[in-house]
Amino acid sequence: SQQGEEDPQALSIQEGENATMNCSYKTSINNLQWYRQNSGRGLVHLILIRSNEREKHSGRLRVTLDTSKKSSSLLITASRAADTASYFCATDINSGYALNFGKGTSLLVTP
Amino acid sequence: DTGVSQNPRHKITKRGQNVTFRCDPISEHNRLYWYRQTLGQGPEFLTYFQNEAQLEKSRLLSDRFSAERPKGSFSTLEIQRTEQGDSAMYLCASSPRIAGRSYNEQFFGPGTRLTVL
């Protein structure tokens, strides 16, 4: 069964706007990762946040983690058409191997 | 670009036939993973190798599925007596083992899309 649940399932915004997607998970984790998937580049790692971290930044990406609520959010600032993709959160329960992915948020960024 | 490669990219087969997929990980990565992804879902973990040892298998990996990584380099995933429910994208990923760190990002291949008629 899938560990994470992303919300919303689909999001449509215009270029320049910010996109926020959320992930909730069920059991304790060691870390949480966000991945992006589009038809051109497949599944690509974006950012990893450890369970003892609360916020992390990478370029236009900002990830937060609230282990008390078992939730994470991914913020993409100043979105571009090239950000159009599906975004998945993945939790790493057994350190170093299996990732449990959510169902993903489908993001559409229109010019 | 020496990323993860998978072959074939597409496979169409008839129900009951056997199929085999190949994954070539990034050369210095000793961990290799197989996932399955169906339409509208996230990838689901199937199995994991560290070098040539298969260390974990998901309950999704029925007796019809077998995976090998004979020399700790490339891996094969075989599905015997395919069923229509096996139709999916099969993804391979690899990651390095970094001393002192128990978590790693995984690098995914482009996948093999299987269609069982």
Side-chain angles (χ1 to χ4, degrees), chain A residues 6 23 25 29-36 44-51 63-65 72-74 87-102, chain B residues 33 35 95 101-108:
Chain A
E6 288 89 344
C23 167
Y25 55 92
I29 60 172
N30 299 302
N31 64 75
L32 186 143
Q33 303 181 42
W34 285 90
Y35 285 79
R36 179 182 65 207
V44 175
H45 177 268
L46 294 176
I47 194 166
L48 179 151
I49 186 166
R50 289 179 283 175
S51 59
V63 169
T64 63
L65 179 64
S72 173
S73 68
L74 172 67
Y87 292 81
F88 297 92
C89 68
T91 52
D92 182 351
I93 300 173
N94 297 313
S95 296
Y97 35 104
L99 289 178
N100 287 305
F101 286 84
Chain B
Y33 316 78
Y35 294 84
S95 69
R101 200 168 88 172
S102 61
Y103 49 89
N104 288 303
E105 66 181 274
Q106 295 183 14
F107 296 80
F108 283 81

Side-chain angles (χ1 to χ4, degrees), chain A residues 59-77:
Chain A
R60 294 184 295 113
L61 305 180
R62 173 180 170 252
V63 169
T64 63
L65 179 64
D66 186 335
T67 52
S68 66
K69 295 182 179 178
K70 291 186 170 59
S71 68
S72 173
S73 68
L74 172 67
L75 167 68
I76 304 174
T77 59

